[in-house]
Amino acid sequence: MAAPPVLVTRPGKRGDVLSDAIASAGWPVERITVMRLETLAETPDMRSAMLDIDHFQRVLVISPAAAEWLVEAMDRYWPQFPVGLAYYAVGAATAAILHEHLGVRVHLPAAEAGEDTSEALLGLASLQSLQDQRVLLVAGEGGRRLLAETLVARGARLTRLAVYRRCTLEPSPAIKRRLARGDFQALVVSSGEILEHLARWCGNAALNQPLIVSSARLTTLADKLGFRAPVVALGATPAALTAAVATACDSEDADVDQDDL
């Protein structure tokens, strides 16, 4: 009988990369399609911010989807990219997109922070005092307010652009059955919104299976939702998440007695 799969929830191309990394490490993988990212139509505020981007001192980019939008917009509005901007990214994947396509140096959370989160990014020395500095934050619609509120509290003249939205999708009947029975080796989640969305279909056995998350913040959320075996990866990269899968699935405690179903 085939071993149950590792369930990967990351949407889009980045989910493909993560799935390939876990599969290459020897684990069977099944994708869960429960979120779709939709680019928002350009607004006058977006256009104005891009035309005036050379007037900003710092540009903070929250995610790979936001980075891809910014790269495309810069290509349309700036045949020669403006110089003198300081770029920041929450995670390595976001930074890689900016560096590859814009050729810029990107500030990331300090390695000693141990994770790629807004909190870690806000710990950088260059973001502590922002009095009267113009800061552009490129992000998705909704989401956490911590980054924006903290930047403003530190004196930034902040412009926040919401350039895409996250749309949750109901799992397929087959995935609902897997979640209800806990019929998987591990569940890999790097988004609080996805974790909250999936929890409603997780039965008791699923709550006892290994849950791989990318930050301590997600562990706190997992505890509140009733997950009993969260494993925190050393970041949200495919390598870090794959290593956490290996740790969880190789553990003697990873096999859960499902007789209570």
Side-chain angles (χ1 to χ4, degrees):
M1 183 175 178
V6 173
L7 301 182
V8 173
T9 64
R10 179 170 282 173
K13 294 179 182 177
R14 296 182 66 233
D16 295 337
V17 174
L18 176 57
S19 296
D20 289 346
I22 295 172
S24 295
W27 306 101
V29 174
E30 185 169 352
R31 292 286 299 277
I32 301 182
T33 304
V34 290
M35 179 173 283
R36 181 179 66 250
L37 303 181
E38 293 183 353
T39 301
L40 297 177
E42 186 174 84
T43 65
D45 286 343
M46 291 180 190
R47 177 179 171 81
S48 176
M50 293 311 303
L51 288 172
D52 291 340
I53 198 169
D54 57 332
H55 295 163
F56 289 88
Q57 282 78 48
R58 305 181 192 279
V59 179
L60 278 67
V61 186
I62 201 73
S63 68
E68 290 169 355
W69 181 91
L70 181 62
V71 166
E72 191 276 333
M74 291 284 280
D75 188 57
R76 282 190 290 118
Y77 286 109
W78 292 89
Q80 290 186 320
F81 297 146
V83 297
L85 296 174
Y87 291 86
Y88 295 78
V90 171
T94 304
I97 293 170
L98 297 173
H99 178 70
E100 178 182 353
H101 295 282
L102 301 182
V104 296
R105 177 174 178 264
V106 183
H107 300 273
L108 283 165
E112 55 267 25
E115 58 186 18
D116 295 335
T117 61
S118 297
E119 289 87 345
L121 186 67
L122 287 167
L124 292 178
S126 58
L127 292 179
Q128 299 310 301
S129 180
L130 301 170
Q131 194 63 41
D132 292 327
Q133 292 189 30
R134 292 192 64 186
V135 176
L136 178 64
L137 176 60
V138 187
E141 192 175 65
R144 302 175 70 202
R145 300 173 60 182
L146 173 70
L147 197 53
E149 290 178 349
T150 304
L151 294 171
V152 170
R154 293 177 180 178
R157 295 162 55 199
L158 184 70
T159 297
R160 187 187 190 280
L161 294 184
V163 299
Y164 67 93
R165 68 166 56 97
R166 295 170 292 270
C167 303
T168 53
L169 308 170
E170 187 169 321
S172 68
I175 293 299
K176 287 182 183 179
R177 288 193 293 271
R178 280 203 184 278
L179 293 173
R181 299 194 301 255
D183 184 20
F184 55 87
Q185 292 195 60
L187 176 63
V188 184
V189 181
S190 54
S191 159
E193 190 171 355
I194 289 177
L195 184 58
E196 289 182 305
H197 181 59
L198 285 178
R200 70 187 71 181
W201 290 286
C202 287
N204 189 57
L207 294 174
N208 281 285
Q209 289 288 63
L211 171 69
I212 313 302
V213 296
S214 57
S215 70
R217 181 181 67 85
L218 287 179
T219 299
T220 301
L221 175 60
D223 289 340
K224 291 179 180 178
L225 293 171
F227 290 91
R228 302 178 186 94
V231 176
V232 184
L234 297 177
T237 65
L241 292 167
T242 299
V245 167
T247 297
C249 293
D250 284 340
S251 169
E252 291 182 356
D253 297 327
D255 293 325
V256 176
D257 186 344
Q258 297 181 15
D259 287 347
D260 58 349
L261 288 177

